[in-house]
Each structure stands twice: as structure tokens, then as C-alpha cells.
Amino acid sequence: MPEDHIARRVEINGIVQGVGFRPFTYQLASQHKITGNVANTSSGVSIHIEGTKKNVESFCRDLSEKSPPLAHITDISFYDERLNEYRDFKILDSKRLSVMNTLISPDVSVCDDCLHELFDPQDRRFKYPFINCTNCGPRYTIIDDIPYDRPKTSMKHFGMCRACQAEYEDPGNRRFHAQPNACKECGPHVSLFDNAGKKVSASNPIEKTATLLKQGYIVAIKGLGGFHLAADTENDSAIVSLRKRKQREEKPFAIMSYDVDRIRDMLTLNPKKKRCLHHISVPSSF
Ligand SMILES: [Zn+2]
Ligand SMILES: [Zn+2]
């Protein structure tokens, strides 16, 4: 081990779990020729680093300046440590400390990379509704306990298939250490039930649901954080029935639409209002 090597421990608190912080640290360590390890703890993230003084300092600077977009560091502390002469950099098993003090990331709406895969017929997650990655997907609603790891989430019931496991273990993959990683082979699926709780047989429950909506049915769609009651906005009798059952005679309902252009067909939008709406582009053939 060269003489100019030093060791440091970095303790980070804030929203640093479930936001790709460990993979980010791993990649940063390889960029700066740093050895050591990183682990989630019940107080945040703990990192042991070893390298030349110059590399350790540039690593520490990038750690807070280039942290992942969803991370929010509230506190970062550096401590001098003894050299352990680590030869590589590892992501260690999470550590449970007596102090539980970490913030949990909210659920994050689908990112552009995942949207692209979702509508790519060549992609193995084509039309898979539970698509997610290190930068997007459920967090808060699936966490049972901290530190944030798959066995402590509702995803513990789904063992990853080989392809998903390979992504999870590959530092170059955008799903490296993504805890809710899943695909149609190994992850959750959608099912449709009637109002008596009996499963409705359908080869594609989403298409079947769309057909039912068009026929005037009211559908409860179970999402991550609860249920959405849905009805066809252009079907007056469905809307009247929903208003009656919800005892919501006048209060407006939220409208869900395919894109901004179709919303424009239904109501008048000035440019300012239009900018406020999040516009997701999907291929017109979809
Ligand atoms: Zn994503
Ligand atoms: Zn899979």
C-alpha cells in the first residue's frame, strides 16, 4: 500500500436510501480509484474509503456535489480512520443500529428511460405496468422498515428472475441495487375482480378494464397508495352514478387523459395552464 494513502469514514443522513445512493457511491469510488465499502444503516449511509489523499478529497467533494437527483443530504460528516488496506470497493449488507433516524424517499413517478422501455416492443418489460429503476418507482408505500432493502419491503414476496438479478448485481446497469426491480417473469401482475371479489378471467386485464370503462362500468384501480375510482368522463350515466354513490354532487373529479392534445378537445386550456400539466409522450400506435 503506497505511503500517501489515507482512510476516512463518511456518515450521511437525509433521503439517501432508495434513491440509488449506494450504486452512485460504488461508481464514484471506481472513478476516483477508491477502495473500501458502503452500507445503508438505520441512520442513513455509512462509507469507509481508502485512497491517495488527492483521490479521497475529490471523492468526498463529488459525493455531495454530484449525488443522485432524488437524494437529499441533510448532514454529512467525515472522520479519519485507520487504513484497512482494502483491495476493492464493496456494497455491504445493511446495518441496523440502535438509533433509527433516516428519511424515506417518496414514491417517484416513472422516469423517461423506463417510459421508453415500456413502449418498446423489443424490450422485455414492454407494457409491464410495474416497471421501475434506481431513479423511479415505489419507495414509501412499499417500505415496511429501515434500512431500505428488498426483504424489508412488500417486494419480499417476489424472488428476482435471473435476468433481473443480473441487472441488480451489475454496477454498470441502471437497475444496479434497485430494490423493487421486477419484470413480467418474476414481479407482480395485474388481475381483475368483479364486485363480489371473484376473479374475472381475461388474457389482458388492462384491456378488459378499458372495455368495461367504455361500457359504463365504474372500476376501482388499486395502485401503490390506495384505490382510484375510475369512470368514463364522456359517459354521463356512469358519472351520475359515481356522484350518487360517492355523495359528491358538485365537487369536480380529476380527469385522466392520454395526452394534453386530448384534454384540449374537452376543455379550454391557456398556455399557462398547459405548461402546468405534465405531458408524457407515448407513441400514437400504442
Ligand atoms: Zn425509471
Ligand atoms: Zn424478472
Side-chain angles (χ1 to χ4, degrees), residues 110-111 113-114 132-136 174:
V110 64
C111 73
D113 289 336
C114 285
N132 68 81
C133 73
T134 311
N135 290 326
C136 76
R174 67 188 193 85

Side-chain angles (χ1 to χ4, degrees), residues 1 5 10 24 62 65 84 96 104 109 121 132 160 169 175 186 192 199 208-209 217 228 245-246 248 251 264 286:
M1 181 74 49
H5 273 212
V10 190
F24 157 71
D62 282 358
E65 283 181 7
N84 283 330
R96 196 181 173 90
I104 294 179
S109 64
N132 68 81
M160 274 185 272
E169 289 169 5
R175 293 192 170 89
C186 65
L192 183 64
K199 194 165 177 178
K208 176 79 179 168
T209 301
Y217 281 86
H228 275 305
R245 291 192 211 172
K246 288 287 293 173
R248 203 164 151 173
K251 197 175 163 192
R264 210 186 285 122
F286 185 70

